[in-house]
Amino acid sequence: MTLRLTDEQAAELEAIARVENVPIAEEVRIALAEHIANRRRDRAFQARLKASIKRNQEILDRLAST
């Protein structure tokens, strides 16, 4: 996986990892885990997700019926 950051983001991430005494990759994993947890609790996101799943299921059902 490649992650492109601005110079400022990279510098700040490096500083945080250094202060926390963990690898940069660990800080990224922590941030992603928090972001995912926030989305799981976000009712508006969950509604959009369910709508997306429904649309995709309808498309898959149409494709499967040929």
Side-chain angles (χ1 to χ4, degrees):
M1 170 184 261
T2 301
L3 179 62
R4 288 183 171 47
L5 303 173
T6 65
D7 290 342
E8 184 175 323
Q9 289 171 324
E12 290 175 348
L13 181 57
E14 287 173 25
I16 291 168
R18 194 169 34 255
V19 168
E20 295 296 333
N21 197 33
V22 297
I24 291 171
E26 181 62 16
E27 280 299 318
V28 171
R29 283 190 289 271
I30 291 167
L32 285 172
E34 290 174 3
H35 181 70
I36 291 167
N38 287 338
R39 287 294 190 250
R40 285 185 173 138
R41 290 187 299 268
D42 182 337
R43 289 183 183 198
F45 174 80
Q46 289 296 318
R48 292 190 307 273
L49 177 61
K50 287 175 183 170
S52 176
I53 290 169
K54 183 178 182 223
R55 282 192 306 273
N56 287 323
Q57 187 60 55
E58 290 167 355
I59 292 167
L60 291 170
D61 290 344
R62 280 197 312 269
L63 289 170
S65 66
T66 57

